[in-house]
Amino acid sequence: MKKLKRLISLALVCFMIVTADAGSIFAAELPEENKPLVNYLLVQEPYLETPGKQTVMIGIGDGSAAIDSAVLTYRNEQTDRMYETEATEILNDFVLFEMEYTNDSDAGTYRLEEISYSAEGTKSIASFKEMGIEASFGVDRIAENEPDDVFLSDEEVEALAAESEMSIVSLDENGKPVSGETLEEALEEAGCSAEEGLRAIQKGAAKTGAEFRGMKSLVVVLDAGHGGSDPGAQKNGIVEKTVNLKIAQYCKEELGQYAGIVVYMTRNSDTYLTLAQRAQVAINKKADLFVSLHNNSNESSGPNGANVYYPNSNYNANVGKTGMELASIIESKLTDLGLASGGIHIRNSENNTRYPDGSLADYYGVIKRCKEYGIPGLIVEHAFISNAGDAQKYLSSDASLKKLGIADATGIAEYFGLKKGLGFNSILSSASTTMDLTWTQVKNVTGYCISRSTQSGSGFQEVARVSPATKTSWKDTGLTPGVTYYYKIRTYTKSGSDIKYGKYSPVASGTTMIRPVISSIKSKNSKALVISWNTVNNAANYEIYRATKKNGTYSRIAMLTGINRVSYTDTKVKAGKKYFYKIRSAEPAGGSTIYSDYSDIVAARTAKIPSGVAVKSQASNTLRVSWKADKNAAGYVIKRADSAGGKYKKVGTASGGTTGYYDDATVKLNKTYYYKVQAFNYNDGVKGVSGYGSAASGKTIRKTSITKIANLSPTSQKISWKKAKDVDGYIVYQSTSQNGVYKKIKTIKSAKTTSLKVSNLVPGTRYFYKVRTRKKVKGKYGYGSYSAVRNVWTANTPKITAVTGNSGSSTEVFWEPSGGAERYDIYRAASANGSYQKIASVADTAVSYIDRNLNMTQQYFYKIEAYIKGYKTASVKSMSAAAGGSPVSVTSLTSAAPDAGGKLAIAWKEVKDITGYQIYRSTEENGAYTLLETISNPSVTVYTDASAAAGTSYYYKIVLVNKYNGQTVYGQYSDAVRGVLPAPVSPEAP
Ligand SMILES: [Zn+2]
């Protein structure tokens, strides 16, 4: 009794699995609003008695957001009172609610109304009714759940799981949620055997033709009751276990003469089996029928005759109906032997054991257990051992026992319409290119001829002759996968050279297994790969094999029992590791399993969730999201939210696995943003994703600006900037061209230091500076934006290239231009080491200066000082070396020659800014010169010497005359120039 209860409670683990939206294959890429809210719902106890505990498990969302809290609202349908309960356990997106019912007043049926939950700060409410989920349970009262509405067949569950890629969740023995890719896995992880849980939902999932790749044979399991240490009844010299086995063997032998049937025995010798083990043979063989063969006994010797027990009509009415009809035929075949008719019976549980739907169970364990798997189970009590007449007449000789076995067999054959004679018992594709044939044995022949065609009605050709006649199986090889082959068989008898043939059997067919093709593998998240394949004949189960090396050892990681199952999610993979897969289809047929050849091997790896995600300020308007780059990633998707629990929206992608950051330049200054990063990869061109890791946050930091740059000397400058808030330092960059390369010249590790002195600069060079802020957050330095670039020249010492006399009273000072000068100041002194006085300031564009009103007989000395201005600060001065020069103090005579009037004219080069000239004459070049004339007009450049005598050589010199500080000054004598007037021609002598 205790054991039965445990079994039921395990079965109920899977009581209800409902899905709201199965179309969530790409849920992670759908807009938030399109995502299904509830993936599945599981009510542990459809019915419970007080005191008792109910557990409701709900899967929410797509797994991208972690649930923080959840409240389940449900209603008592009788009192209309609403109840709320908080989640007792949250595991990622699985939420568990537990409700205790202790009082009689809790009785009633409860309907689940809605679940409200908060995921990363965002609240949502999901109404079960609006999602089309009707879920209720009863407390001391049966809730009116129509079983077929809430139960899904194994295939349906698998198909839903495949479509939605959702995981199936179950509870372990501590009520903790555990997930598995298949229900089988989920249940195994929950600590109950897959088979125990599966039968609850497999009920009614009777075999379909799709399960038969080959010929559809009837599969019958015969169970000889008792055995080994359990002798059964013993009276009148009869031991029940012994006669039961004999009847079963005779029954099998008889059934062996019928075509289209495969018979299995639970035992073939005197061995002990539990009731569960007996039923398990039928479950394993996917039997169509289970018959347990017994003989009756009573304390009284009176009762006699045959009795057959069949399943009641609860839980699976079809099983009950088949059982009843077959029981009736077998009973009649037994009474035909002369046995008294005890009738056919159902026997209900006498301790209130229930089927998972709450209906009363059958009393007999084997009948009940088989029914849970959709198998009709019978118990045939052939005769009464305790009755002397029955014992003597039906149980004491092999001949009588054989009759009983034949009666059972005949009943079965009649009910299922089996025919005796040569015919196939099974035609099964045992691989993609082979077909295994078995047939009934015919005696007194040489052997069998087997013919094959790919059409049902024609084209048959003999493909084999099998002998001797006791050999009743043959393997057809070298076939084409996925092709239906038709076979017929006939006997042949050889007598000398004469061969006689029997009649052909009816045609039977089988289809070879198609070799599955893996169509794609994609990364569903960092720990799950979804393997998809092309469906095989629309009707197949699959085995998935995996290895870590292409030529390594492949282990079977999953057996999928689902029609149309075309994908499997492997959740036992490590992030980023490469795996190799192959699959094959596997099908139950005729009581065994047949397999296709393996698919080609396909390799894949999951995309790893980027690790080390960090956010730092890259500029005052840019946040840099960084992560550890993965060479196996094809790219990354970056999502952002305004709060940790806010809605994350895609802000950008980074391509290439080696990229380790993304700069988000759409952020506001000093505002905190949250980021998640997902990697994606391609497996044979199929894009897969890693899922998102936990969020990282950051905010930008303020920038600074350069306030001044001072020239301290021609080789040093001082840069100053504004103090920035919320930073911990600054970095100063320098370049010698506006758009050139900026060199980091100093990192300043204090927010308070706001200036930097730069030395060893090159004079006369223009330096460009920018400064940015920095701040260390979570071990990483973030930066503010660069300040605007400012530039300043370093001072350069001007160089005087010439000081030239320009006229009688001015000099011109020339210098090389000095880069960055704001202006030049000209200094003059009377001697090289004298006292220099500033005499003028000229613009930065000037490269010479004319110094006027000078004494033409004096030498002057000059220095030029350049003024170099900083950025928003005072200038620095740089004085050139001294250079000396004089105004013009002498001119030159250009000629002394007769003019048109026959007088001697002396000409000279004009000198400006003087008051006049003095002309001197001598008759000897080095003799004494006498002043001839003082000319007071400096623009006059010719003097006519009216006193010059013809034929005499004269020498002339000129002296410049000027006034300086009220006194007349005279320049130096020019070089002498000779002039001669020709002598007059004498008249001719008489
Ligand atoms: Zn028995």
Side-chain angles (χ1 to χ4, degrees):
M1 166 123 176
K2 207 172 174 186
K3 192 183 173 192
L4 281 172
K5 270 203 163 169
R6 189 180 72 85
L7 285 175
I8 285 173
S9 103
L10 284 168
L12 291 180
V13 166
C14 311
F15 178 73
M16 190 182 294
I17 293 172
V18 190
T19 183
D21 182 353
S24 59
I25 292 174
F26 299 106
E29 284 159 28
L30 284 175
E32 299 285 333
E33 46 276 296
N34 292 350
K35 285 182 186 170
L37 293 170
V38 170
N39 288 326
Y40 62 86
L41 168 70
L42 188 149
V43 178
Q44 190 172 19
E45 309 281 357
Y47 168 79
L48 62 101
E49 286 179 355
T50 53
K53 195 170 89 174
Q54 178 61 283
T55 303
V56 174
M57 169 92 117
I58 301 175
I60 301 169
D62 66 346
S64 67
I67 309 286
D68 309 318
S69 63
V71 173
L72 178 69
T73 305
Y74 53 100
R75 181 170 57 89
N76 182 314
E77 294 188 297
Q78 283 72 45
T79 65
D80 223 25
R81 230 181 113 184
M82 301 290 277
Y83 294 83
E84 279 187 357
T85 184
E86 280 212 30
T88 53
E89 184 94 33
I90 298 173
L91 183 77
N92 301 325
D93 52 353
F94 311 147
V95 187
L96 189 74
F97 300 95
E98 289 172 328
M99 296 93 103
E100 295 263 354
Y101 298 96
T102 49
N103 302 320
D104 289 351
S105 60
D106 290 330
T109 56
Y110 293 82
R111 187 160 292 274
L112 305 188
E113 296 288 334
E114 62 184 32
I115 177 171
S116 59
Y117 61 91
S118 164
E120 294 180 354
T122 303
K123 289 192 165 66
S124 303
I125 293 183
S127 156
F128 295 116
K129 197 171 182 182
E130 281 170 19
M131 289 182 287
I133 299 174
E134 297 281 336
S136 59
F137 61 90
V139 175
D140 291 341
R141 182 172 181 153
I142 303 283
E144 290 186 358
N145 275 324
E146 182 57 44
D148 288 340
D149 287 344
V150 292
F151 270 99
L152 299 176
S153 74
D154 184 26
E155 283 81 0
E156 285 171 310
V157 170
E158 297 285 359
L160 280 171
E163 271 174 52
S164 65
E165 294 187 10
M166 68 180 187
S167 292
I168 295 168
V169 176
S170 187
L171 309 181
D172 68 11
E173 60 272 12
N174 301 316
K176 293 271 162 84
V178 292
S179 71
E181 187 49 36
T182 65
L183 197 52
E184 205 166 339
E185 262 180 50
L187 289 164
E188 268 170 9
E189 297 212 350
C192 55
S193 86
E195 165 268 311
E196 281 170 334
L198 275 176
R199 71 186 172 152
I201 57 164
Q202 246 185 8
K203 167 204 80 92
K207 277 196 303 220
T208 66
E211 288 185 356
F212 291 88
R213 175 65 51 222
M215 174 186 168
K216 180 170 176 20
S217 296
L218 183 75
V219 178
V220 175
V221 171
L222 298 178
D223 172 42
H226 311 283
S229 58
D230 169 19
Q234 301 181 78
K235 265 180 192 167
N236 294 318
I238 310 291
V239 180
E240 191 194 342
K241 65 175 183 179
T242 310
V243 294
N244 290 350
L245 179 59
K246 283 189 172 174
I247 296 168
Q249 285 166 332
Y250 286 127
C251 180
K252 181 174 190 277
E253 188 184 316
E254 177 68 9
L255 283 172
Q257 294 179 46
Y258 290 89
I261 181 173
V262 178
V263 181
Y264 297 96
M265 304 280 279
T266 57
R267 68 179 178 99
N268 244 320
S269 59
D270 185 18
T271 50
Y272 175 79
L273 289 162
T274 64
L275 294 178
Q277 285 171 328
R278 292 166 195 269
Q280 194 61 43
V281 175
I283 294 162
N284 290 349
K285 296 294 183 189
K286 303 225 171 204
D288 298 287
L289 176 67
F290 174 89
V291 183
S292 191
L293 301 101
H294 283 257
N295 280 284
N296 231 329
S297 181
N298 195 287
E299 285 174 16
S300 154
S301 62
N304 68 340
N307 291 272
V308 182
Y309 290 86
Y310 65 92
N312 70 22
S313 59
N314 288 342
Y315 192 50
N316 189 332
N318 282 340
V319 165
K321 184 168 176 282
T322 301
M324 184 183 73
E325 289 167 359
L326 180 57
S328 179
I329 292 179
I330 291 174
E331 173 75 6
S332 73
K333 296 295 170 197
L334 291 172
T335 53
D336 284 353
L337 298 176
L339 278 156
S341 175
I344 63 169
H345 318 272
I346 59 164
R347 187 169 173 187
N348 289 327
S349 166
E350 288 158 15
N351 62 3
N352 203 29
T353 300
R354 301 266 156 184
Y355 281 116
D357 65 353
S359 62
L360 194 57
D362 284 282
Y363 173 84
Y364 290 110
V366 287
I367 291 179
K368 173 179 170 290
R369 198 161 167 74
C370 284
K371 183 192 272 179
E372 287 167 345
Y373 281 86
I375 303 166
L378 298 184
I379 295 176
V380 180
E381 299 281 0
H382 294 86
F384 274 78
I385 287 174
S386 49
N387 178 272
D390 274 5
Q392 171 59 34
K393 191 170 175 192
Y394 298 103
L395 305 171
S396 57
S397 74
D398 285 357
S400 334
L401 294 171
K402 186 172 183 178
K403 280 180 188 165
L404 295 174
I406 290 172
D408 293 337
T410 310
I412 292 166
E414 195 174 307
Y415 180 73
F416 288 101
L418 302 177
K419 296 227 157 44
K420 274 190 174 176
L422 180 60
F424 292 107
N425 282 327
S426 63
I427 293 180
L428 297 171
S429 172
S430 51
S432 295
T433 56
T434 63
M435 196 73 86
D436 290 343
L437 289 72
T438 65
W439 53 86
T440 51
Q441 189 181 330
V442 177
K443 286 172 179 161
N444 303 321
V445 297
T446 308
Y448 310 93
C449 308
I450 297 163
S451 293
R452 184 183 72 203
S453 175
T454 52
Q455 297 155 274
S456 61
S458 61
F460 282 91
Q461 290 197 325
E462 190 176 296
V463 288
R465 276 190 186 203
V466 180
S467 65
T470 49
K471 191 172 179 211
T472 56
S473 67
W474 179 67
K475 186 186 280 286
D476 195 3
T477 58
L479 302 174
T480 306
V483 170
T484 300
Y485 291 95
Y486 298 85
Y487 295 93
K488 55 187 187 181
I489 187 168
R490 61 177 177 175
T491 58
Y492 73 95
T493 309
K494 228 173 158 179
S495 173
S497 59
D498 192 29
I499 299 180
K500 281 186 178 147
Y501 297 96
K503 254 177 70 181
Y504 275 113
S505 72
V507 172
S509 67
T511 305
T512 45
M513 307 279 282
I514 287 179
R515 192 169 162 249
V517 173
I518 295 176
S519 54
S520 74
I521 299 187
K522 75 168 190 173
S523 172
K524 181 187 174 189
N525 55 50
S526 67
K527 288 175 187 169
L529 282 169
V530 181
I531 301 115
S532 301
W533 54 87
N534 297 332
T535 182
V536 170
N537 283 13
N538 224 17
N541 305 321
Y542 299 91
E543 294 184 346
I544 317 294
Y545 289 79
R546 188 184 68 195
T548 51
K549 286 178 191 165
K550 188 168 188 183
N551 299 317
T553 306
Y554 284 80
S555 312
R556 189 176 70 189
I557 57 165
M559 279 175 72
L560 307 174
T561 55
I563 292 170
N564 297 342
R565 182 72 193 260
V566 291
S567 76
Y568 172 73
T569 303
D570 184 2
T571 55
K572 304 262 168 70
V573 292
K574 286 182 183 155
K577 190 175 172 185
K578 195 173 187 181
Y579 294 94
F580 297 84
Y581 293 91
K582 60 183 183 181
I583 65 171
R584 63 175 178 177
S585 63
E587 302 218 3
S592 63
T593 304
I594 54 177
Y595 299 97
S596 73
D597 290 351
Y598 288 104
S599 70
D600 283 343
I601 291 162
V602 176
R605 70 172 95 232
T606 56
K608 258 168 118 168
I609 291 175
S611 61
V613 175
V615 179
K616 66 171 192 174
S617 175
Q618 184 64 11
S620 300
N621 61 353
T622 305
L623 282 172
R624 171 163 291 187
V625 188
S626 62
W627 56 87
K628 203 177 153 202
D630 176 9
K631 67 179 165 50
N632 293 318
Y636 307 91
V637 176
I638 297 90
K639 278 188 171 183
R640 187 183 81 188
D642 291 345
S643 64
K647 261 192 185 176
Y648 284 80
K649 285 182 186 164
K650 181 173 158 183
V651 290
T653 56
S655 63
T658 52
T659 306
Y661 71 91
Y662 175 80
D663 284 343
D664 181 7
T666 62
V667 296
K668 289 179 183 155
L669 177 68
N670 205 36
K671 179 181 170 177
T672 301
Y673 293 91
Y674 296 79
Y675 292 89
K676 289 182 172 184
V677 183
Q678 180 182 57
F680 58 87
N681 69 359
Y682 291 93
N683 284 306
D684 202 18
V686 178
K687 187 178 181 181
V689 296
S690 70
Y692 292 91
S694 51
S697 65
K699 62 178 179 177
T700 55
I701 62 172
R702 290 182 168 88
K703 59 188 275 190
T704 184
S705 56
I706 293 174
T707 52
K708 59 182 180 183
I709 303 172
N711 269 310
L712 304 179
S713 77
T715 57
S716 68
Q717 294 177 327
K718 184 181 173 189
I719 302 102
S720 303
W721 54 87
K722 250 188 183 158
K723 187 180 167 194
K725 265 193 207 168
D726 296 328
V727 305
D728 59 22
Y730 309 92
I731 303 172
V732 182
Y733 299 83
Q734 184 195 59
S735 180
T736 50
S737 70
Q738 175 92 35
N739 300 313
V741 176
Y742 282 79
K743 195 173 69 179
K744 185 198 283 188
I745 55 167
K746 184 78 178 177
T747 299
I748 291 154
K749 296 174 181 174
S750 160
K752 289 178 190 165
T753 306
T754 56
S755 67
L756 174 71
K757 187 181 164 189
V758 190
S759 302
N760 300 319
L761 299 175
V762 178
T765 306
R766 193 179 193 182
Y767 287 97
F768 295 82
Y769 294 95
K770 55 187 184 181
V771 179
R772 63 170 171 171
T773 50
R774 66 162 211 175
K775 186 180 187 180
K776 195 175 190 177
V777 179
K778 290 174 203 158
K780 291 212 172 203
Y781 281 105
Y783 304 96
S785 293
Y786 288 101
S787 68
V789 169
R790 302 295 175 199
N791 72 86
V792 164
W793 288 83
T794 46
N796 197 9
T797 306
K799 186 179 171 192
I800 296 172
T801 52
V803 180
T804 58
N806 240 13
S807 66
S809 63
S810 67
T811 57
E812 187 164 6
V813 185
F814 294 89
W815 60 89
E816 284 179 351
S818 169
E822 181 191 359
R823 69 171 203 268
Y824 299 100
D825 288 345
I826 294 102
Y827 287 79
R828 188 181 65 202
S831 63
N833 296 316
S835 170
Y836 285 83
Q837 300 295 319
K838 185 163 98 177
I839 55 166
S841 287
V842 296
D844 62 330
T845 51
V847 291
S848 71
Y849 174 74
I850 298 173
D851 188 14
R852 298 175 197 281
N853 304 315
L854 302 177
N855 182 348
M856 66 184 181
T857 62
Q858 191 179 324
Q859 197 178 13
Y860 295 91
F861 294 86
Y862 296 94
K863 287 183 177 180
I864 305 292
E865 190 176 50
Y867 269 64
I868 313 285
K869 203 174 181 189
Y871 170 69
K872 291 194 173 174
T873 188
S875 307
V876 73
K877 301 166 189 175
S878 182
M879 188 72 89
S880 73
S886 307
V888 174
S889 62
V890 64
T891 190
S892 48
L893 293 170
T894 54
S895 68
D899 64 7
K903 308 285 189 204
L904 201 58
I906 300 105
W908 59 89
K909 208 172 148 194
E910 183 187 352
V911 174
K912 291 182 175 173
D913 298 335
I914 56 173
T915 54
Y917 310 94
Q918 286 181 330
I919 310 296
Y920 289 83
R921 190 181 72 185
S922 177
T923 52
E924 285 174 37
E925 188 175 6
N926 299 315
Y929 285 76
T930 53
L931 178 65
L932 279 183
E933 182 71 32
T934 296
I935 299 161
S936 312
N937 183 352
S939 61
V940 171
T941 57
V942 178
Y943 170 74
T944 304
D945 184 4
S947 61
T952 305
S953 285
Y954 296 98
Y955 296 88
Y956 297 89
K957 288 185 177 178
I958 187 165
V959 169
L960 301 180
V961 183
N962 202 0
K963 280 210 178 220
Y964 187 77
N965 287 341
Q967 295 199 336
T968 300
V969 292
Y970 301 93
Q972 295 156 354
Y973 284 104
S974 71
D975 289 339
V977 170
R978 178 175 166 263
V980 183
L981 278 177
V985 177
S986 303
E988 240 175 274

